[in-house]
């Protein structure tokens, strides 16, 4: 089973994000870049599929040169090889552009399953998986909380508000997995040291046959302004004169939270 | 005089420096070493730290983590072959630093397994001994310990009373070993004893008649680590359990150099954990209407701590580079163990004062590290022993004894 996992290098989600005042883009230079923690679940899901059914995991990423670090971590976890699509012009790409680039990189070789996170931990657009499926001409099964396979199809569990549903999906398909779908492994030392001898390709959008994609003017979407949210008002202090609990209950009931 | 280019960019627009690494020593690490660092750091934060206070209070080691440590490949990681990862000395140092940012007991467990038990088998053992023990120990299925120190012989190991005599084709060992990390957990003990041929090393398996281990109770340091006494009463072991490559005190001392190397890095992890706890506390705790970080006395402590951390890490990294080049000398290892352990002890104590009474509880990592580091100051060569090693190298005068 040939599995492709899409990964992204993001600023450490534990750090405080900051937007650039003129471009309105996230300042990626201010925090330590890491493999998106959401993508670790995807890599783990991919590794489990190939461990059960053979084949290999190919990791695909779009990003700056440093995104090789994200690919390297996935290779250290056990993926077989990686592809990075990188070009200065891709900075600030919107979700559709990202999906076009990833689809072009993925479609160069046959695949059975493409796994992504449900959304990235920096952009949070949440539409790349569906766009990828459309561009690749395969079904999308989203928000998977469980993925198993018999080798010919996938059985995917989707969490819903009222319970869960089970979907049988033919191959090939795109699956987006939620955090908690599995417990991602730690890369072993041997894996880390072996990663450097695994194939890691770099290519540009033009090499993938994409002429007019990119961020800035080439992107179909531009952020024109950013406004800070109103600060939350200070809460109300209830001084307990013996009836504190009762008054808090009344407040909560008034706010319709109980 | 022109302004220097490095001063022109306003601080706010530049990536924030990590207060615990103001000289970006991490940037001296290779991609691989950096990934090892982050992996061990994640492991410690996610699997170890949530339970360490409980184990510390109970005086137990979290044994359920042994398969995880093995899975990461940490046991004997700097050794080549026989199931070991063959990582660089710098990578081993970085791993020790991250483990000890968790607890000195966790780093001690890995140090003893890799540097004190697996290393002598790897360096001095027969091919048969290596094949039998190293893959099992790398996989964490066999745990090792190192028996050198005795109740009446610590800094002066040549004064050991444990002895072994030939009896037919076997050896018979008698004696007592003290302060043995992992002693009662161990499946295999590397025991050093006097013989007619000088000091020799033996592999003594758990369950061998006459061999027992008794845990030392009531420790106020390294509580999340097992420390035992090994008792050998006419223990008969075959000739095949003798380490053929080690004769004299040089054998055990070579092992100590390995372990001391890991400590030189490890203690800086404990120091960093204390420093970070102190910074966080100082920024949030208020007194006299300000966060205590606002006060000059607090800042003076933090400035000193940050400086010492940078200095220690530069020493450790340089030592690692020398070791990877095969050029590290005993005196250099002693310098780093001595200086960095002292640094860590002082950072932990200063951090403790910033946390006030909270710094004395298990709710914060500081008291735990502070107490642990007292043991680290003593084990693997006391501060005094390392001072004399330095003194001898500098003056040519041997001040031992």
């Amino acid at each position: 089973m040939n599995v492709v996992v899409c990964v992204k290098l993001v600023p450490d989600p534990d750090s405080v994000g900051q937007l650039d005042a003129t471009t309105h883009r996230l300042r990626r230079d201010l925090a330590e870049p890491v493999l998106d923690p959401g993508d670790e679940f995807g890599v783990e899901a991919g590794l489990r599929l190939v461990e059960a059914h053979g084949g290999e995991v190919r990791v695909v990423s779009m990003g700056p040169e440093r995104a090789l670090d994200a690919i390297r971590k996935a290779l250290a976890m056990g993926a077989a090889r990686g592809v990075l699509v990188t070009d200065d012009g891709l900075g600030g790409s919107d979700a559709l552009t990202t999906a076009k680039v990833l689809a072009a990189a993925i479609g160069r070789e046959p695949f059975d399953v493409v796994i992504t996170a449900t959304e990235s931990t920096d952009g949070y657009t949440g539409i790349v998986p569906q766009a990828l499926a459309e561009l690749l001409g395969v079904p999308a099964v989203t928000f998977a909380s469980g993925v198993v396979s018999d080798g010919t199809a996938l059985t995917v569990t989707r969490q819903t508000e009222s319970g869960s549903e089970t979907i049988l999906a033919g191959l090939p398909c795109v699956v987006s997995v939620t955090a908690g779908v599995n417990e991602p492994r730690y890369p072993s030392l041997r894996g880390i040291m072996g990663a450097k001898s695994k194939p890691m390709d770099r290519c540009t959008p033009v090499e993938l046959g994409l002429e007019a994609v990119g961020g800035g003017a080439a992107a179909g979407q531009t952020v024109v302004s950013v406004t800070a949210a109103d600060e939350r008002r200070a809460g109300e202090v209830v001084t307990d004169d013996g009836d504190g609990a009762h008054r808090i209950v009344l407040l909560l009931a008034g706010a319709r939270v109980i | 005089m022109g302004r220097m280019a490095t001063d022109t960019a306003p601080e706010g627009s530049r990536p924030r420096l990590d207060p615990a690494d103001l000289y970006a020593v991490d940037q001296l690490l290779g991609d691989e070493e950096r990934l090892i660092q982050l992996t061990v750091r994640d492991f410690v934060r996610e699997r170890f730290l949530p339970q360490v206070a409980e184990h510390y209070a109970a005086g137990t080691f979290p044994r359920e983590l042994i398969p995880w440590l093995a899975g990461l490949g940490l046991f004997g990681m700097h050794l080549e072959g026989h199931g070991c990862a063959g990582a660089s000395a710098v990578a081993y140092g970085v791993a020790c630093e991250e483990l000890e940012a968790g607890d000195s007991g966790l780093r001690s467990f890995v140090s003893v397994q890799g540097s004190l038990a697996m290393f002598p088998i790897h360096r001095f053992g027969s091919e048969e001994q290596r094949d039998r023990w190293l893959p099992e120990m790398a996989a964490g299925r066999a745990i090792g310990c190192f028996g050198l120190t005795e109740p009446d012989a610590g800094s002066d190991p040549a004064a050991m009373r444990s002895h072994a005599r030939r009896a037919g084709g076997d050896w018979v060992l008698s004696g007592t070993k003290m302060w043995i990390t992992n002693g009662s957990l161990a499946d295999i003990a590397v025991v050093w004893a006097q013989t007619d041929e000088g000091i020799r090393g033996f592999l003594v398996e758990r369950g061998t008649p006459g061999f027992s281990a008794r845990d030392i109770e009531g420790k106020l340091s390294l509580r999340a680590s097992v420390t035992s006494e090994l008792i050998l009463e006419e223990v008969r072991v075959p000739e095949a359990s003798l380490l053929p490559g080690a004769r004299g005190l040089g054998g055990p001392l070579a092992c100590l150099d390995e372990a001391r190397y890991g400590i030189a890095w490890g203690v800086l992890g404990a120091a960093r954990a204390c420093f970070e706890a102190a910074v966080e506390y100082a920024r949030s705790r208020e007194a006299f209407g300000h966060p205590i970080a606002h006060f000059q006395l607090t800042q003076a402590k933090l400035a000193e701590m940050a400086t010492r951390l940078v200095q220690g890490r530069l020493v450790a990294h340089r030592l690692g580079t020398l070791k990877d080049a095969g050029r590290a000398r005993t005196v250099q290892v002693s310098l780093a163990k001595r200086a960095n352990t002292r640094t860590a002890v002082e950072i932990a104590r200063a951090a403790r004062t910033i946390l006030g009474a909270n710094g004395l509880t298990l709710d914060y990592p500081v008291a735990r590290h502070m107490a642990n580091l007292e043991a680290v100051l003593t084990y693997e060569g006391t501060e005094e022993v390392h001072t004399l090693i330095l003194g001898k190298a500098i003056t040519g005068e041997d001040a031992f004894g």
Side-chain angles (χ1 to χ4, degrees):
Chain A
M1 185 175 284
N2 291 315
V3 180
V4 176
V5 181
C6 298
V7 301
K8 186 177 185 183
L9 189 79
V10 300
D12 188 342
D14 290 338
S15 64
V16 181
Q18 195 180 317
L19 295 179
D20 186 280
T22 48
T23 65
H24 306 309
R25 280 157 54 186
L26 187 63
R27 287 285 304 270
R28 293 177 186 278
D29 57 329
L30 295 182
E32 184 74 14
V34 297
L35 170 63
D36 192 326
D39 290 339
E40 293 183 20
F41 298 98
V43 174
E44 180 65 36
L47 292 173
R48 290 187 188 189
L49 286 175
V50 302
E51 280 162 3
H53 304 290
E56 64 173 27
V57 171
R58 177 160 56 109
V59 181
V60 174
S61 185
M62 182 186 95
E65 189 74 13
R66 282 206 70 174
L68 288 171
D69 287 350
I71 294 177
R72 195 175 289 115
K73 180 164 184 186
L75 296 179
M77 288 172 74
R81 54 206 173 95
V83 181
L84 172 66
V85 187
T86 186
D87 188 89
D88 287 345
L90 289 172
S93 292
D94 60 9
L96 183 57
T97 306
T98 305
K100 284 177 182 170
V101 169
L102 291 174
I106 292 165
R108 285 198 299 179
E109 291 179 49
F111 62 89
D112 297 307
V113 185
V114 175
I115 302 177
T116 69
T118 55
E119 58 195 351
S120 62
T121 310
D122 53 356
Y124 285 110
T125 65
I127 59 171
V128 168
Q130 295 87 332
L132 257 185
E134 182 65 25
L135 291 164
L136 291 167
V138 300
V141 189
T142 54
F143 295 93
S145 58
V147 181
V148 290
S149 176
D150 62 359
T152 59
L154 290 189
T155 305
V156 176
T157 311
R158 295 182 85 224
Q159 208 66 42
T160 68
E161 274 188 15
S162 53
S164 68
E165 56 190 27
T166 304
I167 291 176
L168 191 66
L171 305 178
C173 64
V174 171
V175 182
S176 74
V177 297
T178 57
V181 64
N182 52 40
E183 195 174 7
R185 67 195 66 188
Y186 296 101
S188 72
L189 244 65
R190 198 176 292 277
I192 291 170
M193 294 168 63
K196 64 172 172 285
S197 55
K198 291 179 174 176
M200 200 141 57
D201 292 340
R202 244 165 293 186
C203 61
T204 64
V206 172
E207 286 166 343
L208 293 173
L210 299 168
E211 296 295 342
V213 298
Q221 170 190 311
T222 310
V223 178
V224 290
S225 74
V226 174
T227 310
D230 289 337
E231 278 200 32
R232 288 170 61 184
R233 295 202 324 268
E236 186 172 334
V237 177
V238 175
T239 309
D240 188 11
D241 297 321
D243 61 347
H246 181 65
R247 285 163 56 206
I248 288 172
V249 168
L250 288 180
L251 275 172
L252 293 176
R256 295 176 182 276
V257 291
I258 55 171
Chain B
M1 197 163 64
R3 283 174 75 185
M4 288 172 65
T6 49
D7 290 333
T8 54
E11 262 317 301
S13 71
R14 303 174 67 185
R16 185 166 173 272
L17 281 168
D18 177 359
D21 186 23
L22 287 177
Y23 261 40
V25 182
D26 280 348
Q27 288 175 16
L28 296 174
L29 303 175
D31 290 340
E32 206 170 282
E33 292 152 354
R34 181 84 177 128
L35 190 46
I36 289 171
Q37 178 187 48
L38 296 176
T39 300
V40 180
R41 185 176 296 178
D42 284 347
F43 164 76
V44 167
R45 193 179 57 211
E46 292 162 6
R47 305 273 158 195
F48 179 76
L49 286 180
Q51 50 166 332
V52 62
E54 208 171 300
H55 279 283
Y56 206 84
T60 50
F61 177 76
R63 296 177 65 161
E64 66 279 9
L65 290 184
I66 295 172
W68 287 88
L69 295 164
L72 284 164
L74 292 172
F75 296 144
M77 63 179 273
H78 58 313
L79 304 176
E80 288 278 352
H82 304 279
C84 305
S88 68
V90 170
Y92 176 51
V94 164
C96 286
E97 190 177 15
E98 295 307 322
L99 290 168
E100 197 151 354
D103 192 86
S104 301
L106 179 65
R107 198 267 308 136
S108 295
F109 187 94
V110 174
S111 283
V112 168
Q113 177 81 347
S115 288
L116 293 180
M118 294 173 74
F119 172 80
I121 296 172
H122 191 271
R123 168 73 67 91
F124 306 121
S126 64
E127 206 48 42
E128 192 188 5
Q129 288 167 339
R130 289 187 199 124
D131 287 343
R132 167 148 185 227
W133 289 108
L134 293 178
E136 287 292 293
M137 294 173 84
R141 289 188 293 267
I143 300 304
C145 69
F146 179 84
L148 177 66
T149 295
E150 299 192 350
D152 298 314
S155 293
D156 181 13
M160 72 170 66
R161 292 185 193 159
S162 295
H163 57 87
R165 64 170 199 278
R166 286 186 190 275
D170 297 336
W171 288 86
V172 176
L173 283 83
S174 290
T176 306
K177 297 292 178 181
M178 195 66 177
W179 309 115
I180 308 305
T181 302
N182 299 350
S184 68
L185 297 177
D187 303 287
I188 180 81
V190 177
V191 174
W192 302 92
Q194 303 275 11
T195 73
D196 291 343
E197 309 158 6
I199 290 172
R200 306 290 314 256
F202 298 86
L203 302 182
V204 183
E205 289 183 48
R206 175 208 282 277
T208 308
F211 175 50
S212 58
R214 189 163 57 201
D215 285 345
I216 293 166
E217 304 291 342
K219 277 182 302 170
L220 296 178
S221 176
L222 288 183
R223 288 188 51 76
S225 172
V226 171
T227 313
S228 320
E229 180 181 14
L230 303 183
I231 300 142
L232 299 120
E233 293 169 319
E234 294 286 302
V235 178
R236 185 176 278 268
V237 296
E239 174 73 21
S241 54
L242 175 75
L243 290 174
R247 273 174 199 272
L249 209 48
L253 292 185
C255 304
L256 293 180
D257 260 1
E258 289 296 301
R260 290 164 178 177
Y261 169 77
I263 293 170
W265 283 87
V267 288
L268 299 173
R272 184 186 78 211
C274 292
F275 172 72
E276 287 176 340
V279 171
E280 194 184 326
Y281 191 89
R283 289 164 66 102
S284 60
R285 169 77 184 193
E286 294 199 2
F288 307 105
H290 294 284
I292 59 173
H294 172 79
F295 299 114
Q296 293 180 359
L297 289 177
T298 308
Q299 292 195 3
K301 290 176 191 174
L302 295 174
E304 182 66 17
M305 290 156 83
T307 306
R308 299 282 300 274
L309 263 180
V310 164
Q311 291 171 334
R313 298 193 78 218
L314 287 169
V315 166
H317 192 273
R318 172 64 182 152
L319 179 64
T321 310
L322 286 168
K323 193 163 163 61
D324 276 327
R327 291 194 285 129
R329 308 278 291 268
T330 293
V331 64
Q332 292 163 336
V333 176
S334 281
L335 187 153
K337 194 273 182 183
R338 176 181 181 273
N340 289 358
T341 307
R342 172 53 61 184
T343 288
V345 163
E346 288 174 7
I347 287 176
R349 289 177 187 167
R352 214 290 301 156
T353 66
I354 290 174
L355 271 78
N358 281 312
L360 293 168
T361 70
L362 275 175
D363 295 338
Y364 295 86
V366 177
R368 183 165 52 78
H369 284 300
M370 189 175 72
N372 284 340
L373 288 165
E374 292 297 328
V376 182
L377 195 61
T378 287
Y379 76 17
E380 306 295 331
T382 62
E383 187 171 38
E384 291 77 5
V385 160
H386 291 299
T387 305
L388 297 184
I389 291 172
L390 282 161
K392 185 178 168 188
I394 295 162
T395 65
E397 297 281 347
D398 184 342
F400 288 93

